[in-house]
Amino acid sequence: MSNIDKRIINSKNAIKNSFIEILKLKDISKITIKEICERANVNRATFYAHYSNQYNLLENIEDELFLNIKENLNNYSFKFDGSNTIHILEKIFDYIKANENICNVLLNDKGDIDFQKKLICFIYDECFSKWVCKDSESSDYLYSFVVYGCIGIIQKWFDDGVKKSAKDLAVMTYNIINNINKI
Amino acid sequence: MSNIDKRIINSKNAIKNSFIEILKLKDISKITIKEICERANVNRATFYAHYSNQYNLLENIEDELFLNIKENLNNYSFKFDGSNTIHILEKIFDYIKANENICNVLLNDKGDIDFQKKLICFIYDECFSKWVCKDSESSDYLYSFVVYGCIGIIQKWFDDGVKKSAKDLAVMTYNIINNINKI
DNA sequence: TAGTTATTAATCACTGTGTTGATTAACTCT
DNA sequence: AGAGTTAATCAACACAGTGATTAATAACTA
C-alpha cells in the first residue's frame, strides 16, 4: 500500500472525484462502476485494482475524511476536559465548512448515516461524555437521542446551504446538548 | 386497483413477506427481484404486474404501515392539544411493539431513514409542535434535532430488543422533548 | 357455469459484473 | 539517462439479473 506512484494517485483521485460528482446526482445503489470509470476516464480494470465496488470506494473516502478531521483537531492544543467544548466544536464545523464539496455529499440527508453516526459519536465522546454524569437507566437512550439529534443539526445546516457560521452552530449545538444533560 | 381478487391479495402478501424476510438479512440494494420471487413462490412477471422494483415495493409497505398507525390512533378519541401527549406516544409505541416483525425491519438502524423521518415528523407535529413556542432563529435546527433524536430513541429501542415497555418509552421521550423545549 | 383475469413458463435483447492475459505506457531508483 | 518495475489499458469472457412479451393455464367473481 505504498501509493507513492503518481499513476496510482492520479487514478484514485480521478475515480474519487468522479464518484463524488455522481453521488451528488443519484443514490449510491444506482451508481454503476461503469459510469464512475467513464466519467473518470479510467479503465474499469483499474477501478477493480483499487476498489471492490462503489461501497468500498465510499468507505475509503469516509475513512480519509475521518482521519483528516482528527488530524485537523490535533493541530490545536486542546484540553478535552470540557473546558473548551465550544471551541472544539467550532474547529470541527470550520473544517467541514472549508471542505464543503465533499462534506456536503457525505453529511447531508442523503449521505451515509452510519458514517455520520461514527463521526458524531467520536465528537461527542471527546467533547461531552467524559464530564457528563451517567444515569444508567436511560443514559443509553439519551446518548442515542443526542447523537442522532446532532446528525439532524448538521443535515439541517447543509439543507440551509451552510449559511450559518461554524461558531454560531457550535454555540447552538453546545447549548442544546448542555441543556439536555441537565435532565 | 380493486384488489378484491384473492389471487392478487395472495401474490402481494407472498411478495411482501418474502421481501421483509430477506430485508432482515441484507440491504435493499443487494436484494434482487429474482430472489424475492423465488422465496415467495411467485413468477417474476407477477412481481412486475404489481411493483416496478424493490424500492417501489418498500414504499408500498411503508405507506401501508403509516396508514395503519394513523388509523390506529383514530380508534382513540384523543384531543391533540398537548393534554395527553404521553398517552398518544404510548399508543403509537404500543402499535409498533404489537407489529414488531415488520416495524423492526422498517424502523431499526438499517431501515429507511426517510420513512422514519416522515413518521416522527407526523407524530411530533401532532403531539408537540402546536403548543411549543417558536423562536424563529434556531427553531428549525431544534426541530431537526428533536426529530432525529426521536429516531435515535426508537432505533435504540429495537437495538435493545424492544424490552422497554411502550409506556416507559413514552414517558422518557416526553420528558426529554419537554425539557428541550424549555430552552 | 360462463366469462373474466391473474399467474405462469418460456422466451427475448440488453446492461452491468468481475476477471483474465497480453500489450503499452509511466513511473522509480540508481 | 537508462534499466527494471509496475500500473493502466484493451479486448474478450462467461455470467447474472432486468424488464418486457407471448400464449397457455389456472383461479377467481358474479
Side-chain angles (χ1 to χ4, degrees):
Chain A
M1 291 283 178
S2 56
N3 278 10
I4 36 164
D5 197 315
K6 290 175 187 171
R7 292 169 296 181
I8 298 182
I9 308 287
N10 287 336
S11 295
K12 283 191 169 182
N13 280 338
I15 290 171
K16 282 180 202 163
N17 291 331
S18 160
F19 179 62
I20 293 292
E21 291 308 310
I22 302 176
L23 212 44
K24 290 177 184 170
L25 307 173
K26 56 169 104 171
D27 190 84
I28 184 170
S29 64
K30 304 286 188 186
I31 297 177
T32 66
I33 314 298
K34 199 182 170 232
E35 69 179 320
I36 297 173
C37 296
E38 275 169 1
R39 196 182 234 273
N41 277 316
V42 153
N43 195 276
R44 213 151 51 82
T46 305
F47 180 96
Y48 286 112
H50 298 298
Y51 310 103
S52 50
N53 51 49
Q54 69 266 53
Y55 299 97
N56 174 249
L57 169 58
L58 176 64
E59 212 180 305
N60 271 267
I61 294 175
E62 287 173 346
D63 287 350
E64 216 171 80
L65 178 65
F66 192 61
L67 274 178
N68 287 341
I69 290 176
K70 277 202 221 174
E71 249 171 46
N72 182 257
L73 274 187
N74 287 337
N75 293 341
Y76 309 96
S77 51
F78 286 136
K79 288 175 196 162
F80 292 93
D81 58 359
S83 65
N84 47 20
T85 302
I86 290 186
H87 294 100
I88 298 174
L89 286 178
E90 187 185 340
K91 291 302 172 191
I92 293 170
F93 291 149
D94 250 337
Y95 182 88
I96 291 175
K97 195 167 184 171
N99 297 272
E100 194 188 330
N101 187 50
I102 187 168
C103 288
N104 197 337
V105 176
L106 299 185
L107 302 179
N108 75 9
D109 65 330
K110 302 295 171 201
D112 175 5
I113 192 112
D114 285 327
F115 172 66
Q116 296 174 12
K117 219 190 295 181
K118 182 182 162 193
L119 183 63
I120 302 286
C121 282
F122 162 74
I123 296 172
Y124 188 74
D125 290 345
E126 290 291 346
C127 296
F128 291 93
S129 68
K130 287 171 186 166
W131 51 279
V132 163
C133 68
K134 288 214 170 190
D135 160 15
S136 60
E137 166 60 34
S138 59
S139 66
D140 285 349
Y141 283 82
L142 203 54
Y143 182 80
S144 192
F145 185 92
V146 171
V147 167
Y148 271 80
C150 290
I151 292 175
I153 283 186
I154 291 182
Q155 287 190 7
K156 175 70 189 156
W157 195 32
F158 282 112
D159 194 46
D160 257 20
V162 207
K163 276 182 282 184
K164 215 181 251 292
S165 75
K167 186 168 189 174
D168 286 355
L169 199 72
V171 170
M172 201 180 65
T173 306
Y174 179 83
N175 284 339
I176 294 177
I177 296 177
N178 216 24
N179 191 286
I180 285 185
N181 284 329
K182 284 178 187 157
I183 296 173
Chain B
M1 289 281 181
S2 57
N3 279 10
I4 37 164
D5 197 315
K6 288 175 188 172
R7 290 169 297 180
I8 298 181
I9 308 287
N10 286 337
S11 295
K12 283 190 169 184
N13 279 339
I15 290 172
K16 282 180 203 163
N17 291 332
S18 160
F19 180 63
I20 293 292
E21 290 310 310
I22 301 175
L23 212 43
K24 290 177 184 170
L25 307 173
K26 57 169 105 171
D27 190 84
I28 185 172
S29 64
K30 304 286 188 187
I31 298 177
T32 66
I33 314 299
K34 200 181 171 232
E35 69 180 319
I36 296 173
C37 297
E38 274 169 1
R39 195 182 233 272
N41 278 315
V42 153
N43 194 274
R44 215 152 49 82
T46 304
F47 181 96
Y48 287 112
H50 299 299
Y51 310 102
S52 49
N53 50 50
Q54 70 265 54
Y55 299 97
N56 175 249
L57 169 58
L58 176 64
E59 212 180 303
N60 271 268
I61 294 175
E62 287 173 345
D63 287 350
E64 214 171 82
L65 178 65
F66 192 62
L67 274 177
N68 287 342
I69 289 177
K70 277 202 222 175
E71 247 170 47
N72 183 258
L73 274 187
N74 287 337
N75 293 340
Y76 308 95
S77 50
F78 286 136
K79 289 176 196 161
F80 292 94
D81 58 358
S83 66
N84 47 18
T85 301
I86 290 187
H87 294 101
I88 298 173
L89 286 178
E90 188 185 340
K91 290 303 172 192
I92 293 169
F93 293 148
D94 250 338
Y95 182 88
I96 292 175
K97 196 167 183 169
N99 297 272
E100 192 187 332
N101 188 49
I102 187 167
C103 288
N104 196 337
V105 176
L106 300 184
L107 303 179
N108 75 9
D109 64 332
K110 301 295 172 201
D112 176 6
I113 191 111
D114 285 328
F115 172 66
Q116 294 173 13
K117 220 190 295 181
K118 182 182 162 193
L119 183 63
I120 302 287
C121 282
F122 162 75
I123 296 172
Y124 188 73
D125 290 345
E126 290 290 345
C127 296
F128 291 93
S129 68
K130 286 172 187 165
W131 51 281
V132 163
C133 67
K134 287 215 170 188
D135 160 15
S136 60
E137 166 61 34
S138 60
S139 66
D140 285 349
Y141 282 82
L142 203 54
Y143 182 81
S144 192
F145 185 92
V146 171
V147 167
Y148 271 80
C150 289
I151 292 174
I153 283 186
I154 292 182
Q155 287 190 7
K156 175 69 190 158
W157 194 33
F158 282 112
D159 194 47
D160 256 22
V162 207
K163 275 181 283 183
K164 213 180 253 292
S165 76
K167 186 168 189 174
D168 286 355
L169 200 71
V171 170
M172 201 180 64
T173 306
Y174 179 83
N175 285 338
I176 294 177
I177 295 177
N178 216 24
N179 190 285
I180 285 186
N181 285 328
K182 285 179 186 156
I183 295 175

